[in-house]
Structures are given as C-alpha cells and as structure tokens.
Amino acid sequence: MIRVLLVHDECLVRSVLAEWLRREPDLEVWDAPWRGAPGRLPGVRPDVCAADLERADTHGIPPLGDLAGRARGTAGPGLLVLAGANRPGQLKRAVQAGALGYVDKEGTPDRLVEGIRRVAEGKRFVDDSLGFGFLKAAEMPLTRRELSVLVLAAEGASVAEIARSLHLSHGTVRNYMAAITRKTGARNRIDAIRISQGEGWL
C-alpha cells in the first residue's frame, strides 16, 4: 500500500480529490490543509505528499521543505506538486525543494494517481503540459534568495521583517531588493513586485 498525504487549502477540492484517490486499491489516503500538514507527518508517515502549490494564508509558495523533512533533519516522503504552467516561479521553487512529481492542475485525476505511483517508486513524473512553465522557469533572472525576499516584500513585509524572517542583515535585504529591481527592469520595489506577478514568478 502507498500511504499518501494530500495537502490542499480548498476544503471542497481536497475532499473530492481524497475520495477519488481512496477508490484506488493500492492507496491509503489522508488529507490536510497546509496549516496542519506538517503536524500530520509523524502520525501518517506518508510515502508520498501530494501538495497543491497554492496556500490560502500566504502569497508565495508554501513551505515544501516542511513536508520534505528538512525542518526535522530527516528524510521525508516523496513530493508531488499540483501546479500550473502559468506559474513558473512556483515550479522553480518546487524543483529547488526536491519535488519528484509535477501534475498539471488542469489535467485529470488519473494523472494524479499515475504521478503518485511513480513518485512512490522514487521516479520522476512530469506532465507534458507543464513543459512551457519549466522553460519559463529556466529563464527567470532571480536567484532563490532573491525570490524569497521578493515573496515577503509582496506580502507587505518591511525590510526589518524580511531580515528577521530570513536571518539576514538590513543592508543585505536592501542589496537583494536593489538586485531584484535591476534584474526585473523595474523602477522601484512596487514595480518589481508587479512585474514579477505578471510574469508568474510569484
């Protein structure tokens, strides 16, 4: 049996997907919203975490590292993400988090089932329809750290709050914001956020 933790913040969608997955004889399925997902890991001990890349209470990508076991310093379950080709920033950060599976949210539940089985075997699974999103992700000019800074800035965090959250000095945060502004061709911080959102980087 493959133990699956389905993580999605929309209760109706999560419930329907979980019931669909439970029809499969080789899957044991639990479900949780993002806020409660990390706390479910010790009890569920999933082989695969299938996680939506949208989170209700934050602007940027959810903390995939929490599901991967990084916060606990242990090996975690295989990660499969539900993503869209129009959000290359999310795809890039999922790759950086070590996700093995990438299922298009515009696809069918059967693709999700196939992806779960592949990831449970330790194999990579990528929907062909996400190819354009990965190409756009490869063209993104911002580094991982710059994206982290920009995500917090887009949530309205001040320089001091960003510095505290990422364990950086105020001067380093300002340097990152200057680099972000330059790389995006923006006039200022707000313009950089607008451009990045338009490109799907956030």
Side-chain angles (χ1 to χ4, degrees):
M1 294 290 286
I2 301 170
R3 300 170 69 86
V4 179
L5 178 61
L6 176 67
V7 183
H8 202 299
D9 269 356
E10 294 182 28
C11 183
L12 179 59
V13 175
R14 185 177 73 245
S15 299
V16 170
L17 273 178
E19 285 305 311
W20 178 279
L21 293 175
R22 289 183 182 113
R23 298 177 183 177
E24 301 297 322
D26 59 336
L27 303 183
E28 280 189 281
V29 182
W30 290 260
D31 63 276
W34 264 107
R35 184 178 296 276
R40 297 292 303 277
L41 292 176
V44 174
R45 291 177 288 109
D47 301 301
V48 177
C49 278
D52 182 47
L53 288 184
E54 301 287 346
R55 184 173 176 180
D57 59 353
T58 188
H59 185 83
I61 193 170
L64 289 173
D66 290 354
L67 298 185
R70 293 179 183 176
R72 303 181 305 281
T74 60
L79 287 179
L80 177 146
V81 296
L82 305 176
N86 62 337
R87 300 294 299 276
Q90 289 186 340
L91 289 172
K92 183 171 184 176
R93 281 169 277 174
V95 171
Q96 292 167 341
L100 278 178
Y102 302 83
V103 174
D104 191 343
K105 292 202 286 191
E106 299 296 322
T108 66
D110 290 335
R111 296 294 287 167
L112 176 58
V113 172
E114 183 181 352
I116 288 170
R117 289 175 177 146
R118 290 285 295 277
V119 170
E121 295 172 354
K123 298 176 181 177
R124 187 169 295 280
F125 180 88
V126 181
D127 263 336
D128 292 341
S129 54
L130 294 177
F132 179 73
F134 278 104
L135 286 174
K136 291 285 287 182
E139 297 171 354
M140 287 176 58
L142 303 181
T143 66
R144 181 178 183 178
R145 180 60 85 181
E146 288 165 351
L147 279 171
S148 297
V149 169
L150 190 58
V151 164
L152 292 173
E155 292 176 349
S158 66
V159 168
E161 289 168 334
I162 294 171
R164 186 164 54 252
S165 178
L166 299 179
H167 308 290
L168 301 171
S169 70
H170 293 194
T172 300
V173 172
R174 291 191 185 94
N175 288 341
Y176 277 129
M177 286 306 307
I180 291 165
T181 302
R182 183 181 70 254
K183 288 182 177 181
T184 57
R187 297 185 302 274
N188 51 43
R189 166 175 165 163
I190 294 173
D191 195 33
I193 292 168
R194 179 189 61 78
I195 290 169
S196 298
Q197 288 173 335
E199 292 289 341
W201 300 342
L202 293 179

